[in-house]
Amino acid sequence: LNFDTLLGIGSSGDQVALLQAILAKNPSIYPSGIVSGYFGSLTETAVKNFQNKYGIDPLGIVGTKTITKLNEIKTAGINP
């Protein structure tokens, strides 16, 4: 499963759960580490932390640049 859909507050499903699982591998990015499949405020904050780390505008939504970086990390099997 690769990321291919824009995600933001209110999104849900497998891609959100995968996003949360990847972000949860780094407690400094996603301290709560909750993998619920629902994109809420905790996930939004984690996405902003991830975006800040990788020099992406911290909008808190998973757009094209964030999708590209998440797929790179997932493919490489490294922690964010």
Side-chain angles (χ1 to χ4, degrees):
L1 180 66
N2 276 330
F3 294 98
D4 58 11
T5 304
L6 301 180
L7 301 171
I9 291 283
S11 296
S12 61
D14 291 344
Q15 289 206 5
V16 175
L18 178 60
L19 168 69
Q20 292 167 329
I22 290 172
L23 296 175
K25 291 180 180 179
N26 186 335
S28 68
I29 288 179
Y30 191 22
S32 65
I34 298 168
V35 179
S36 66
Y38 177 77
F39 196 123
S41 59
L42 294 175
T43 304
E44 180 184 42
T45 299
V47 169
K48 287 179 181 178
N49 293 339
F50 176 87
Q51 291 167 327
N52 275 320
K53 178 176 179 176
Y54 289 103
I56 301 167
D57 289 336
L59 304 175
I61 59 167
V62 178
T64 307
K65 291 179 183 176
T66 306
I67 286 171
T68 300
K69 181 53 73 176
L70 285 165
N71 284 329
E72 286 173 13
I73 287 170
K74 190 172 92 36
T75 301
I78 57 173
N79 289 343

